[in-house]
Every structure is written in C-alpha cells, then in structure tokens.
Amino acid sequence: MQRILAQSGKEWKQFRRDPLSMWLAVLMPVVMVLLFGYTLSLDPDGLRLVIRDLDNSALSRRYVETYIGAADFQLIAWDSELAVEQALETGAAEMVLLIPPHFGRDLLAGRPAQAQALIDGADANTALILRQTASALNASFLARENPALAPPVRARIRYWYNPGLSDRRFFGTGALGMVLIFFPALLGAIAASREHELGTVIQAYASTLTPAEWVIGTALPYVAVGCVELVCGYLSGAVAFGYDLPPDPTAFLAASVGYIAIGVLFGMWVGHATRSQSISIQAVQLGVFLLSLLLSGFLAPLENIPKAIRWLSYFIPARYYVEVVRDALLRQGGWRTNGLDVVILLGLAMLGFWGVWSQVRRMRFPD
Amino acid sequence: MTRFLRRYWALTRKELHQLRRAPKLVFQLTIPPTLLLVMWGYALNPEVKNLRTAVMDADRTPASREILAMLTELEAFQVKANYLSTTDLEKAFEDRSIDVGILVPPGFARDLQAGRPAELQVIIDGVVANSAAVAGGYLLRAVADHNEKLLRRRLPVTLEAGLPRLGRSEIRAIAMFNPGMVFSWFYVTAIMGVVLFVDGSLVASAIAVREKEVGTIEQLLMSPAQSLEILLAKTTPVLSLLVLGLMVSTYTAHLVFGLPLRGSFGLYLLAGVVAGFAAMGLGILLATYSSNQQQAQLLTFFINPFVMLCSGAFARIENMPRIFQWASMIDPLRYLVEIIRGLTVKGADLELLWRPMGALTLLTIALYGLSVWRFRRQLN
Amino acid sequence: MTGVVIRARGLTKVYDRGTKQELCALDAVDFEIRKGEIFGLIGADGAGKSTCFKILAGVLEPTAGEVEVLFRSPRESRQRVGYVTQPFSLYEDLSVAENLRYAAGLREVDEEAFAERSRRYLEAFDMKAFTDRLAGRLSGGMKQKLALSCALIADPAVLLLDEPTTGVDPVSRRDFWDALGGLADRGMTIVVATPYLDEAERCTRIACMENGKILAQYPPAEFVSRMALTRLEIRTCDLQRAEEMLERHERDGILADVQRFGDRLDVLVSDPVADRDRILEALEAEELKPEVLRSGDPTLENAFVATLRSKRGPESHAHFPDRATAPAERCGELALGTKGLVKRFGSFTAVKGLDLEIRHGEIYGLLGANGAGKTTAIKMICGLVQPSSGEISLLGRTKGFRTAAVRSRIGYKSQKFTLYDDLTIGENLDFYAAMYDVPPKLCRARKDWALEVSGLRGEEGMLTGRLPDGWKQRVAFGAAVMHQPDIVFLDEPTSGVDALARRAMWRMINELADNGAAVLVVTHYLEEAEQCNRIGFMAAGDMVAEGSPSELEKHMPGVLLEVRAANVAASLGAFRQALGRDRVTQFGERLHVQAPDVGAGEREIQAIAEAQSLELRSIEPIPFSLEDVFLALIERRRAASDKAA
C-alpha cells in the first residue's frame, strides 16, 4: 500500500507540475463540449434566400411572402439583376426561388403552376432541409389560398426527450465521450512513455514494487483527473445545453469511471509498447480519437458504415459510453436501460488492466 | 543568389533524406488521409435506416391500414411491434426498445371522410437529434405524397361542391451542382481540407521542434543560412507530400464517390500550396512555443479542433453562435474548404473565388511570416 | 573489510541475439568486490559499463555467467542495493523533497527513518536550502547529490554509481568523492564507473574496460608502476615542429609516447637518463631550445593510453587537405575581442563585464563551473543571444555578425551533438559543407579528411544515430570545421570521449590553430582546459584568473604532498581534524595534503602521525594539478565574497 501511494503521489505531483497539461485537462472538456455542441449544429438558421419573381402578380407576391415570412430564411436579394448561377456558385445564396412568368394567371385559371427552388447542392444536408422546407411552405400557401386543397392527413410529430430537437445537446454529449477517453489516454501514454524515454523507469525496476502495484499506482491519479474532467464537461453541458443527471446516477458514474480507466490503461499500454512520447501521442490520436469519432455512432448512424469495417465498432468503448451518456443525461435512464453497456465497459477496463499488467510483469529491461 | 540556392538545396536535401528515413511520416501524410476520406465519406452519411418502429392502429379501417402500410414500407422504419394500447407504446419507449412510434387515433377514417383534417400521431426519440430530424423529414414527405394521392382521388368531389377553383401551385426543388444529392461530397471535401491542414500543422510542429530537442537548431542558426531559408527548406518536401496527398484524395473521392473537379486544376493546386504554407506556418509557430515534441503535439492538438470546427467544413457557419462566426473569419481552413468546394462541386473560377483566395493568401502570409519571425527569436 | 560482497564469473550479455544488430556488451567478465571497497569501472562510452551495472542492480538478465550480490541473486538483493543511473534517474518536474519521498516510498522506508535520513543527507550535501526546488532546475552537481541521496535513503549495503560525475563541475566532483570515501570507510561497498582518470585515481581498485572485456584490474598506482616508463614535460619555442619531430622518433621506437598539452609536450621514455639526453640532443639540433620542466612517474592517463593503444594498434594522422597558404602571417592578429560584455536575464546577471582577447593561432580555454556564464558568453559572441551591453569585435568587425559572409567564417560546435541522427555520416557532412559554402570542388577531399580523422573511413553510409556518443563528437567536430573557419567555438568538444580519441581530437584542434584559426573552447573539464594555450577562469559571471596553464599553477600558494599510510581511513580522519578539511584529500590509498612548503609540511604530518601512532609509508612532494588551481581560485573567491557580505 505504501508503495502504491508513493507511485500515485509521484504521478500526481508530476501532473500538477505541468501547467500545460493541467490547463488542458480542465479546458479540453469544456471547450470540446461547447465547440462540438455549437459548431456541428445542423439546425438551419439564416438560410440565404434570393428571390427572382418574373411574374410579379398579386398571387406571386403572396407566394413569395410565404417564404420570406418563414423564420429560417434570410432574404438576400429580391428581383435584382443578380445572376442566379453566380449567386449559388459564390455561396452568396443558398436557395434561389424562381417564379416563372404567368404564375399567378395560371393559378387563377385553375391550372397547376410550377415555381422552382434552385438549391446549392454542395451541402447536401442543408439542401435536403431546404427541399423539405420548400415543399412544406408550398403546401401551407396552398392550404391558405384554397382550403379544399389543404392536406387531408396531418402528421403530428412529437420528439421525445428533446422536444425542440436541438442537436446541440446531442453533439455535446458525444464530445464528452470523446474527451473522456482521449485525454486520460493521452495522460496515461505520456506517463508511461516518459518513464522509458527519460530512463526513470529504472527506479521502479530496481525497487521491489510489484507490477500490479505499479499499474494501479500510476493509473489512479489519472483516473481521478478524468473524473474531474467529467465534472467540468458535465457542468459546462448543464449550463449551455441543460444536461441533467438521472435520479439514479450510479450506472452513469460506474460507466464513466470504467470508461476513463479504459482510456488511462490503453494509454499506458501504448506508452509502454512504443517507449516514445511522440509516437505514443500519435498512436493515441489515431487509435483513440479518430476511431472513436468515426465508429462510436456519435456523428452519424453506424448503419451507414460499410459492413467490412462496421464490426470494428464493437471494440470501441466510445460506442457503449456515448449510449450511456445520452441515455443518462438526456433521457434520465439508468441500470434498467443501459446495464449491459455499463457491464461491457467495466469488462473492457479489466481487460485493459490485464493488458498493461502482463506488459510490465517482469519489471526489468527486455533482453 | 547561387549561394542561396546551394544552401537552400542542401537544406531541402537534408529534409528529403530525413523524410526518406521516416517512411512512417510519408505514410502518415498520404495513406491515412485517403483512408479517412473514404471512411468519413461513408460514415458521415446522415441518412437513417431501420429505425425500430412500433405501430398502433386504434382506428382499424382500410384508410388507417393504407397509411400505415405506406409508411412502414419505407426503409427508415422497421416494424418491431404492434401495440394495442398507448401505455404499452410508452413503456416500450421508456425501455428504449423502440425509436419510433406511429399511432393512428380512432376516428381517422371518419375525419378523412368528412373532409376534416385527420391526424396521424408520431413519436420519435429526439435524443439523436439529427437522425430524428431526418426521420421526421422522411415521414412528412411520405405523408405529403400520400396527401397528394388522396387529394387527386378526392378532386372530382371538390369540383362538384363548387368551391372556388384555384390551380395547384407546385415547387420543383433542384439541387444545383449535385442533382443526385450525394451527401458524401460535402464531407469528403471537408475532410480533404481538414487533413491537409491538420496533418500539415502536426508534421511541421514535429519537425521544427525536433531541431530544438536534438540541439541542431543552434548549429543551423549559426550557419550562414537565414531563418526564411531554413523554414522554406523545411516546408518544401512536406508541402509537396501534402499537396500530393490532396491530389490522391481528390482522385480517390472521384473514383469512390464520383466527386467531380469542374474548376481549374491549376487553381486547385495553387490553393493547396497556399493553404499548405498556412498550415505549416501554424505548426512551426506552435513549435517555437514548445520545448519538446510532447508539448508541441498537445498544443497543436488543442488548437486544431478550433481550426477544424470553426471553419464550417462540417456544418454551416451561420448555424453557429456569433462568436464562432467571427472566429471563422480568421480561419484559413474556412477559405480553403470554400475554394475546394467551389472548384470541385460548383465549377467556379478565379473570378468568383477571388475573395476566399485573397483571404487565404493574406492569412498565409501572416501566419508564415510570424513563424519565421518567431523562429529566429526562440533562443533568446 | 575482507568479505567478498559482489562476485561475477563469466558474466556475458548479448543484445539482440541472433539478429543483424547482435551486440556483445559484456564478454565473460570476472570480478570480485570486497566489502568497503571503491571499485572503479573505467572505459569509454559503449565499453559495457552500464550493462554491467544494470545486471548488478537486477534490472537486466545476463545472457550467461554467474553473478551474486550480497550472497543472493541481484534481483533478490534489490532492497539492499542503492543505484545511481546515468543519466540520473530523477524526476525533473518533482522537487528535491518529493524525489526523496518517492525513492523512500518505493523501498518502504518508514516515516521516522525517512525524516532522519533525509535531514542527515540534505545537511551533509548542503542542500537544506533547496528542498523545494525542482530537480530539473538544479545544477549538475546538485542533481548528482540528490541522486546519491535518493540511493542512500534506504540505507543500502551496496552502492552502484554509473558515471555519477558526468556533467558535474570540479568543485562538486571533489565533494562527491570525499563523501564516497566516507561511505566506504563506514563499510559500504561502492562500484563506480567513470570516464575520468583523475577520479579513477581515487578508487581502491580499478578495472579498465573495452568492448565488453576487462583488460586489466589493479589498484591505480599499480597501473602506473607496471608501465615502467618515465614522463618528461618539455617546453620548446615551437611546439608544432617539436611534436612532429618527436612523433617520428615515436614511430622509430625511441620513445613510447608524445603528446601536446597546451604550452608543453609530455614525452614517455623507458630510460629516464639515456632517452632524455637523446631527445634533448635531437631537439637542440633543430634549434628548438628545449627545456625540461619536470620528470617523474607517468600519469594514469598515460597508462590508459598505453593500454588502449596496445589493443587498437596505430592511429591515423590525417592532415587538413588544403592548408591555409600563409598561416604565420595571420597568427597573432586579433580574432575576437570583447569589452565589458554584460548579459542580464531579468534581475539575474549571467555575465558581468567580460573582457576577452583571442588571437589567430591561439587556443583559448574558457573554464568555469556550471552556471558561471560561459555558455551565455559564447552565445552572445556568436550572435545567438543579444548582449545587454558591451562591445564585441569579431574578425575585424564590430557589427553585422549575422550576415552570411561573417557566419561562413565561423565554426561552431555546441555542447549537444549537432548531427542529425537520421542522416548518414556522409549526408551530415555534405549538409554542413553546403551550408557553410565549402567550394564544391574541395568538398570531396575535406569530407574524406573528416572521415579519416574520426576514424570512420569507409563508414560514410552508416546512420549517424548508430554511432556511440564519443564517435559522434568526433564527426560533429569534423563537420564544424570543414569550411576551414577563421574562428572556431567549441563547447565541451571531448566530453564522453575516451583518452585515445580525445588525443586525436586535440591533435586536430592544434592543427587548426597552427593553420591560423583562433579557437575558443568552453568547458568545465580540466582535462580539456589543460590542452589550451591560455585559460580564463570564470566564476559567477566574472573572469577570475587568466593565463597559460603553467602560469596559472603559480597562482597556488605552497606545495602539495602525497602521503601513503598503512591505515588510510584513520589517517584521513586524523589529518583532517588537525589540518582542516580543505587541506586533505583522499585518492584511493593515498592522501594529498597541502602545505606552505615541503619542510614544514613534512614536519607537520610526521607530528600528527606520531601523536596518533599512524604508520606512514612515504611522503613525497608532487605538482599541483589544474584542478587544484581551479578549486583554490573558487575557494578564494568565495571567501572574498563572504567577507564582502
């Protein structure tokens, strides 16, 4: 026990001495949660609209007003000489609403009349939303002008757990999952590889410290740092996006500690294997950050990833953890809904411990 | 001048030799970007499939069955259960065993018959907001198509009733440049820019700080070479690899996702080179503030998410809060991605792209100049 | 005092067995170390010393052979072995106290013992004031003491010290060895590795290692006496010509060895009378006006060079391919001058008004402890750091040093290795040649020269990273002077290099100066300083003394007496008590005592010996070493500043 404490105390003091790591530990979760939450939002806002009304009748103006009145649009130009193609090419407009001549006359005559929405297709996400918005506005124009043509079936959609359908909340939780594995892994990797790089590992080898004591002693302070990050990330999410702890947070907490431990242990494993700080940092960036980002289902549904690589996602702890975080913070779920994920995470943590332990089992230099 | 060239060549050759001995670096600069590109192109597809869906038909009429059959035929909704009570449906939601619930309330057919709006109730788990929104969009579109069908069926009735005759307005949405609405083009172009920038800054900070770590920097600064020479020589080989990587990525994106290159290739190359300088300038600048590899990498890794996410490569800048919108103004990546999209998807030319091109060039000069200035001063 | 505590028989270690890089680091080594001995392992980088220590510490498994520490396997004895590694295994980002606590925690020292021992060692090593300072911000000497304290905190029976004095200044080194002597007297067994021969003299027994083998193991004095040679120190009016002439005699087998040291030549002869006369006659014939300063026993360095040479065969003597045409004309001209050079970092003044004058053809040694301001001074002169005030004139200019034209006339080799590990040796040389504007048609010849003098001919294609540090130093030196600079700055050019390679490098440096270059050597190794024509001592930013080595020795008051006693430990204690700590130093089985003059000193020593009934074997006057001078100067300065305060 004294030896574990000596090891932990040393690691903790070293961490505390490095102001860069200290700052990053606190800032990283806050920044990542906010940055991901705010910048990845697909909620369209201020869609740039250019209107070209070649008809200019009372009806066409009413049609156009339906669009201008919609909250998402921001009118850039109306009936100017602006070349339509050019407006879209330079990105000045995202949608051009083109009303053909005789639009009003055709409608009054009971004939169908077609307006065109030219949408910048380079951003297909926004294009999709624009297409839906355009057809919804068209329908509402029709319903208003001619109640007989109002849609017979109206679908009322309720979004549970997230009525405003804010994707900021959702990206923020994922970002928490990214930070809580990446940063602890980085710390673990640096701690382990630094010992090899500076040769200080010899102190531990030359003493009677056992491998298990070493692994636990080294990992402990970094898991604690991870827990502090969890609190920072959670608080910033709570303030910015209204995260809320579930009534029974034990499942969430157990999963978090397990998840952080996986990060630290994986980092230590990489650090011992590479023995070089810079290589292990790169390995962590690639192996932890990028893979988690891609294969955790945090940015887009995993279903769309080709089968050939999709199976990899079962080995990515972030896949389970992101589920747990979302469930706990956004749906107030607990053991009943995510027990299995928590158990898998704790299992992976044990596996990580075994991995590092078997690596340093001999406590001496390799031949 | 000849001396300058000779020294520059010696410096460049040194970097090339070092690069040759570090196949890992060459590999890192060319292969992962391409792989990433393909993976992200697939992975970042916002389409949804196979949502676990429960239906509850409280009306039990041909009309209700018709609309349910139409909706569950969609690829997005996969029926897992049929419930008879709303409590069962709600419980299934709470257990997370379903993602979507579609409920036809009693009197649906009656309302439809009577010409009153008939309501269809849908519950979607909104936590994964973007997927939920996409699913909601599919559903609304399907219902709109269904309405069309119903209206057409009903049209003769309406006419007999002698209601005012106003023609149907229609809107035809055309996705310019991308009529097939290929989602991957957006993300693939983003990744090409991001990889160039992130890789460039990471590698530049690593090679610049290495000289300091090993101690060769004093020797270099003592030699007749000027800082600009040293840095230009450091930049040249990596920059070539970065641009090569960009070309390989573009070609791969063309093969895999059909991404076109409609604009001028020369301009594309030029934009890549200018942005490469900016990225490496950023890396070198960060390296001058670090004393070892570890610090340089951490710093670069901390700065890069800002550069990446504020650039609007992944989501519209206008969707972000103001402060991020301002930050994006000095983000070189923003302009690079704008140019890449302009030249590939949109087929724009310099006349249309002079603004992002000019902004990118100015930022590059500022970043690279700052790094040259700092490089000389870092020993003090 | 006689029990064998460490025993190794046929100890062998092979790295990467069965691969292309197979390396035999230890080759069937035998030794036995008795309780209370200071056993020295002497050898160049890569001789196998560190491997040996790792095995004794139980952190590396030997490939073959038997090894026993404290009657058990090294691994089982870990708890009772203290180990100071090279580089020091200290956590630079932890404070002194935190490092000690960690070392104690790992070895389960209880709280009480920890408090008592840490207080004792911090006091003994003068570190009480620094307990909260980060280890990374300690000077080399302090780090060394901290590393030793960490190893001692668990009160070990065996102490393993792997090059504990590398990067440590002379004052700290002497303190350190005094402390070791005390520990050994109390019965601790000490195994120590060092590349420095003046330290080797302070061991009880030494083993000379090369290529994983122990070439010989004796007490230091026996090494010298076995050579049966006499050393002559000769001064002439033209050292260069005298050296060349005597080298010819050396090849003819008339004399055993000749080496240039600053302002004199050291010649080894087998017959002290006949050979001496023959040499003097030969020099007279060339009108070199020889003068014998001293004749006596060879030094341990002489003994080592002889041992190594007998194993390695003759060295190469390549000359610079295109010598300057009229070197003599330039010699004597001022190459570098500084006046009142000052550098302040915040409130700290690193250099306080430095005045320097270095002429073409001169080798100037700037000597001082860590933190004396040497490196800052050299960086200011090179233009890497902006001076706070003062004037510099470099190669006849007073400003514009940063221009390419000036810098291509400067050669610079910083303390760290300035080669790229991931380039081949040839590529490194090509690179520096082009950077310093060596004319392309001369490149090939100069490159060959650099390879030749580094002893690496034909190894052009080898990756530099695979060279041992000592060899890198030689290539780096060659690379730094390939463009035939007019002024050369060298920061500790020969650290980590063995005695033989050091000689080769000094031969090159001498040749540079003979060709008219001005050479400034910055160092804290007295072995390097000895080779300079003129030396300046710096302490705390000030120039304390300046002059040629012989002139400086005159700064020492009194004489030095070497005393051999039957019971060294008891004698040391008695002398120190009677004469004061500063005047007595232990060198293995011998004691050095400072005295005002020979007669008075002998009387004093005899009196003490009689009073304490100690048996003395001999008392002999010996010359002061440069180290003695250096320490005395520092001591005098400290006393003066204490008085002023």
Side-chain angles (χ1 to χ4, degrees), chain C residues 305-324:
Chain C
V305 167
T307 315
L308 291 174
R309 273 177 139 187
S310 64
K311 295 280 164 190
R312 283 194 203 158
E315 323 140 57
S316 80
H317 283 207
H319 290 293
F320 205 76
D322 42 321
R323 293 191 186 204

PDB file of all heavy atoms in Angstrom, chain C residues 305-324:
ATOM      1  N   VAL C 305      46.274   5.238 -22.020  1.00  0.00           N
ATOM      2  CA  VAL C 305      46.500   5.371 -23.449  1.00  0.00           C
ATOM      3  C   VAL C 305      47.373   4.215 -23.911  1.00  0.00           C
ATOM      4  O   VAL C 305      47.107   3.596 -24.941  1.00  0.00           O
ATOM      5  CB  VAL C 305      47.156   6.729 -23.747  1.00  0.00           C
ATOM      6  CG1 VAL C 305      47.692   6.763 -25.160  1.00  0.00           C
ATOM      7  CG2 VAL C 305      46.146   7.846 -23.534  1.00  0.00           C
ATOM      8  N   ALA C 306      48.367   3.896 -23.108  1.00  0.00           N
ATOM      9  CA  ALA C 306      49.254   2.791 -23.480  1.00  0.00           C
ATOM     10  C   ALA C 306      48.462   1.491 -23.557  1.00  0.00           C
ATOM     11  O   ALA C 306      48.595   0.717 -24.498  1.00  0.00           O
ATOM     12  CB  ALA C 306      50.389   2.680 -22.465  1.00  0.00           C
ATOM     13  N   THR C 307      47.585   1.256 -22.552  1.00  0.00           N
ATOM     14  CA  THR C 307      46.799   0.027 -22.534  1.00  0.00           C
ATOM     15  C   THR C 307      45.897  -0.061 -23.766  1.00  0.00           C
ATOM     16  O   THR C 307      45.807  -1.100 -24.417  1.00  0.00           O
ATOM     17  CB  THR C 307      45.908  -0.019 -21.273  1.00  0.00           C
ATOM     18  OG1 THR C 307      46.691   0.366 -20.162  1.00  0.00           O
ATOM     19  CG2 THR C 307      45.338  -1.400 -21.054  1.00  0.00           C
ATOM     20  N   LEU C 308      45.227   1.045 -24.076  1.00  0.00           N
ATOM     21  CA  LEU C 308      44.304   1.048 -25.198  1.00  0.00           C
ATOM     22  C   LEU C 308      45.039   0.892 -26.529  1.00  0.00           C
ATOM     23  O   LEU C 308      44.591   0.164 -27.408  1.00  0.00           O
ATOM     24  CB  LEU C 308      43.486   2.348 -25.217  1.00  0.00           C
ATOM     25  CG  LEU C 308      42.485   2.501 -24.083  1.00  0.00           C
ATOM     26  CD1 LEU C 308      41.848   3.879 -24.125  1.00  0.00           C
ATOM     27  CD2 LEU C 308      41.402   1.436 -24.157  1.00  0.00           C
ATOM     28  N   ARG C 309      46.172   1.581 -26.623  1.00  0.00           N
ATOM     29  CA  ARG C 309      46.919   1.511 -27.877  1.00  0.00           C
ATOM     30  C   ARG C 309      47.407   0.113 -28.155  1.00  0.00           C
ATOM     31  O   ARG C 309      47.395  -0.354 -29.292  1.00  0.00           O
ATOM     32  CB  ARG C 309      48.140   2.424 -27.809  1.00  0.00           C
ATOM     33  CG  ARG C 309      47.834   3.824 -28.213  1.00  0.00           C
ATOM     34  CD  ARG C 309      49.090   4.576 -28.013  1.00  0.00           C
ATOM     35  NE  ARG C 309      49.330   5.498 -29.086  1.00  0.00           N
ATOM     36  CZ  ARG C 309      50.453   6.185 -29.192  1.00  0.00           C
ATOM     37  NH1 ARG C 309      51.418   6.004 -28.329  1.00  0.00           N
ATOM     38  NH2 ARG C 309      50.601   7.031 -30.166  1.00  0.00           N
ATOM     39  N   SER C 310      47.804  -0.562 -27.105  1.00  0.00           N
ATOM     40  CA  SER C 310      48.311  -1.907 -27.316  1.00  0.00           C
ATOM     41  C   SER C 310      47.193  -2.795 -27.874  1.00  0.00           C
ATOM     42  O   SER C 310      47.454  -3.787 -28.531  1.00  0.00           O
ATOM     43  CB  SER C 310      48.855  -2.481 -26.010  1.00  0.00           C
ATOM     44  OG  SER C 310      47.800  -2.600 -25.090  1.00  0.00           O
ATOM     45  N   LYS C 311      45.921  -2.425 -27.618  1.00  0.00           N
ATOM     46  CA  LYS C 311      44.816  -3.232 -28.121  1.00  0.00           C
ATOM     47  C   LYS C 311      44.382  -2.789 -29.513  1.00  0.00           C
ATOM     48  O   LYS C 311      43.868  -3.563 -30.288  1.00  0.00           O
ATOM     49  CB  LYS C 311      43.601  -3.095 -27.189  1.00  0.00           C
ATOM     50  CG  LYS C 311      43.820  -3.644 -25.821  1.00  0.00           C
ATOM     51  CD  LYS C 311      43.673  -5.151 -25.809  1.00  0.00           C
ATOM     52  CE  LYS C 311      44.285  -5.664 -24.523  1.00  0.00           C
ATOM     53  NZ  LYS C 311      44.406  -7.110 -24.497  1.00  0.00           N
ATOM     54  N   ARG C 312      44.537  -1.480 -29.787  1.00  0.00           N
ATOM     55  CA  ARG C 312      43.900  -0.955 -31.007  1.00  0.00           C
ATOM     56  C   ARG C 312      44.849  -0.765 -32.171  1.00  0.00           C
ATOM     57  O   ARG C 312      44.405  -0.553 -33.287  1.00  0.00           O
ATOM     58  CB  ARG C 312      43.289   0.407 -30.711  1.00  0.00           C
ATOM     59  CG  ARG C 312      42.003   0.298 -29.952  1.00  0.00           C
ATOM     60  CD  ARG C 312      41.275   1.613 -29.982  1.00  0.00           C
ATOM     61  NE  ARG C 312      40.376   1.683 -28.853  1.00  0.00           N
ATOM     62  CZ  ARG C 312      39.910   2.809 -28.349  1.00  0.00           C
ATOM     63  NH1 ARG C 312      40.285   3.961 -28.869  1.00  0.00           N
ATOM     64  NH2 ARG C 312      39.086   2.805 -27.337  1.00  0.00           N
ATOM     65  N   GLY C 313      46.116  -0.762 -31.903  1.00  0.00           N
ATOM     66  CA  GLY C 313      47.043  -0.512 -32.997  1.00  0.00           C
ATOM     67  C   GLY C 313      47.179   0.983 -33.268  1.00  0.00           C
ATOM     68  O   GLY C 313      46.606   1.810 -32.568  1.00  0.00           O
ATOM     69  N   PRO C 314      47.931   1.339 -34.284  1.00  0.00           N
ATOM     70  CA  PRO C 314      48.267   2.747 -34.529  1.00  0.00           C
ATOM     71  C   PRO C 314      47.048   3.578 -34.965  1.00  0.00           C
ATOM     72  O   PRO C 314      46.094   3.054 -35.518  1.00  0.00           O
ATOM     73  CB  PRO C 314      49.301   2.669 -35.657  1.00  0.00           C
ATOM     74  CG  PRO C 314      49.016   1.380 -36.343  1.00  0.00           C
ATOM     75  CD  PRO C 314      48.508   0.441 -35.297  1.00  0.00           C
ATOM     76  N   GLU C 315      47.117   4.896 -34.666  1.00  0.00           N
ATOM     77  CA  GLU C 315      46.023   5.788 -35.053  1.00  0.00           C
ATOM     78  C   GLU C 315      46.408   6.489 -36.345  1.00  0.00           C
ATOM     79  O   GLU C 315      47.546   6.539 -36.730  1.00  0.00           O
ATOM     80  CB  GLU C 315      45.784   6.847 -33.975  1.00  0.00           C
ATOM     81  CG  GLU C 315      45.967   6.333 -32.584  1.00  0.00           C
ATOM     82  CD  GLU C 315      46.678   7.341 -31.695  1.00  0.00           C
ATOM     83  OE1 GLU C 315      46.163   8.459 -31.585  1.00  0.00           O
ATOM     84  OE2 GLU C 315      47.722   7.002 -31.127  1.00  0.00           O
ATOM     85  N   SER C 316      45.404   7.079 -36.964  1.00  0.00           N
ATOM     86  CA  SER C 316      45.689   7.777 -38.215  1.00  0.00           C
ATOM     87  C   SER C 316      46.086   9.220 -37.903  1.00  0.00           C
ATOM     88  O   SER C 316      45.665   9.793 -36.919  1.00  0.00           O
ATOM     89  CB  SER C 316      44.456   7.778 -39.110  1.00  0.00           C
ATOM     90  OG  SER C 316      43.573   8.787 -38.695  1.00  0.00           O
ATOM     91  N   HIS C 317      46.880   9.759 -38.740  1.00  0.00           N
ATOM     92  CA  HIS C 317      47.335  11.142 -38.557  1.00  0.00           C
ATOM     93  C   HIS C 317      47.022  11.943 -39.803  1.00  0.00           C
ATOM     94  O   HIS C 317      47.904  12.422 -40.479  1.00  0.00           O
ATOM     95  CB  HIS C 317      48.849  11.181 -38.322  1.00  0.00           C
ATOM     96  CG  HIS C 317      49.223  10.786 -36.939  1.00  0.00           C
ATOM     97  ND1 HIS C 317      50.360  11.217 -36.325  1.00  0.00           N
ATOM     98  CD2 HIS C 317      48.603   9.998 -36.044  1.00  0.00           C
ATOM     99  CE1 HIS C 317      50.429  10.701 -35.109  1.00  0.00           C
ATOM    100  NE2 HIS C 317      49.364   9.950 -34.931  1.00  0.00           N
ATOM    101  N   ALA C 318      45.746  12.084 -40.139  1.00  0.00           N
ATOM    102  CA  ALA C 318      45.416  12.799 -41.376  1.00  0.00           C
ATOM    103  C   ALA C 318      45.577  14.291 -41.158  1.00  0.00           C
ATOM    104  O   ALA C 318      45.237  14.813 -40.102  1.00  0.00           O
ATOM    105  CB  ALA C 318      43.990  12.483 -41.771  1.00  0.00           C
ATOM    106  N   HIS C 319      46.080  14.954 -42.158  1.00  0.00           N
ATOM    107  CA  HIS C 319      46.187  16.408 -42.085  1.00  0.00           C
ATOM    108  C   HIS C 319      45.090  17.038 -42.909  1.00  0.00           C
ATOM    109  O   HIS C 319      44.582  16.441 -43.849  1.00  0.00           O
ATOM    110  CB  HIS C 319      47.558  16.876 -42.582  1.00  0.00           C
ATOM    111  CG  HIS C 319      48.646  16.510 -41.640  1.00  0.00           C
ATOM    112  ND1 HIS C 319      48.753  17.067 -40.384  1.00  0.00           N
ATOM    113  CD2 HIS C 319      49.654  15.616 -41.748  1.00  0.00           C
ATOM    114  CE1 HIS C 319      49.793  16.547 -39.770  1.00  0.00           C
ATOM    115  NE2 HIS C 319      50.352  15.648 -40.566  1.00  0.00           N
ATOM    116  N   PHE C 320      44.773  18.274 -42.554  1.00  0.00           N
ATOM    117  CA  PHE C 320      43.758  19.004 -43.301  1.00  0.00           C
ATOM    118  C   PHE C 320      44.190  19.087 -44.759  1.00  0.00           C
ATOM    119  O   PHE C 320      45.349  19.378 -45.048  1.00  0.00           O
ATOM    120  CB  PHE C 320      43.609  20.409 -42.709  1.00  0.00           C
ATOM    121  CG  PHE C 320      42.275  20.995 -42.975  1.00  0.00           C
ATOM    122  CD1 PHE C 320      41.178  20.567 -42.245  1.00  0.00           C
ATOM    123  CD2 PHE C 320      42.098  21.952 -43.956  1.00  0.00           C
ATOM    124  CE1 PHE C 320      39.935  21.091 -42.487  1.00  0.00           C
ATOM    125  CE2 PHE C 320      40.872  22.479 -44.199  1.00  0.00           C
ATOM    126  CZ  PHE C 320      39.773  22.055 -43.469  1.00  0.00           C
ATOM    127  N   PRO C 321      43.290  18.782 -45.702  1.00  0.00           N
ATOM    128  CA  PRO C 321      43.719  18.600 -47.095  1.00  0.00           C
ATOM    129  C   PRO C 321      44.341  19.851 -47.723  1.00  0.00           C
ATOM    130  O   PRO C 321      45.349  19.756 -48.399  1.00  0.00           O
ATOM    131  CB  PRO C 321      42.433  18.203 -47.818  1.00  0.00           C
ATOM    132  CG  PRO C 321      41.326  18.567 -46.901  1.00  0.00           C
ATOM    133  CD  PRO C 321      41.874  18.493 -45.521  1.00  0.00           C
ATOM    134  N   ASP C 322      43.747  21.020 -47.537  1.00  0.00           N
ATOM    135  CA  ASP C 322      44.321  22.205 -48.168  1.00  0.00           C
ATOM    136  C   ASP C 322      44.608  23.240 -47.099  1.00  0.00           C
ATOM    137  O   ASP C 322      43.728  23.958 -46.669  1.00  0.00           O
ATOM    138  CB  ASP C 322      43.391  22.761 -49.243  1.00  0.00           C
ATOM    139  CG  ASP C 322      41.946  22.744 -48.803  1.00  0.00           C
ATOM    140  OD1 ASP C 322      41.526  21.764 -48.142  1.00  0.00           O
ATOM    141  OD2 ASP C 322      41.233  23.691 -49.072  1.00  0.00           O
ATOM    142  N   ARG C 323      45.823  23.230 -46.620  1.00  0.00           N
ATOM    143  CA  ARG C 323      46.173  24.153 -45.545  1.00  0.00           C
ATOM    144  C   ARG C 323      46.161  25.582 -46.051  1.00  0.00           C
ATOM    145  O   ARG C 323      46.432  25.838 -47.225  1.00  0.00           O
ATOM    146  CB  ARG C 323      47.573  23.840 -45.036  1.00  0.00           C
ATOM    147  CG  ARG C 323      47.682  22.512 -44.338  1.00  0.00           C
ATOM    148  CD  ARG C 323      49.031  22.469 -43.667  1.00  0.00           C
ATOM    149  NE  ARG C 323      49.259  21.142 -43.094  1.00  0.00           N
ATOM    150  CZ  ARG C 323      50.093  20.946 -42.079  1.00  0.00           C
ATOM    151  NH1 ARG C 323      50.770  21.955 -41.573  1.00  0.00           N
ATOM    152  NH2 ARG C 323      50.279  19.748 -41.618  1.00  0.00           N
ATOM    153  N   ALA C 324      45.889  26.475 -45.110  1.00  0.00           N
ATOM    154  CA  ALA C 324      45.944  27.882 -45.489  1.00  0.00           C
ATOM    155  C   ALA C 324      47.362  28.192 -45.960  1.00  0.00           C
ATOM    156  O   ALA C 324      48.330  27.609 -45.475  1.00  0.00           O
ATOM    157  CB  ALA C 324      45.575  28.755 -44.301  1.00  0.00           C
TER     158      ALA C 324
END
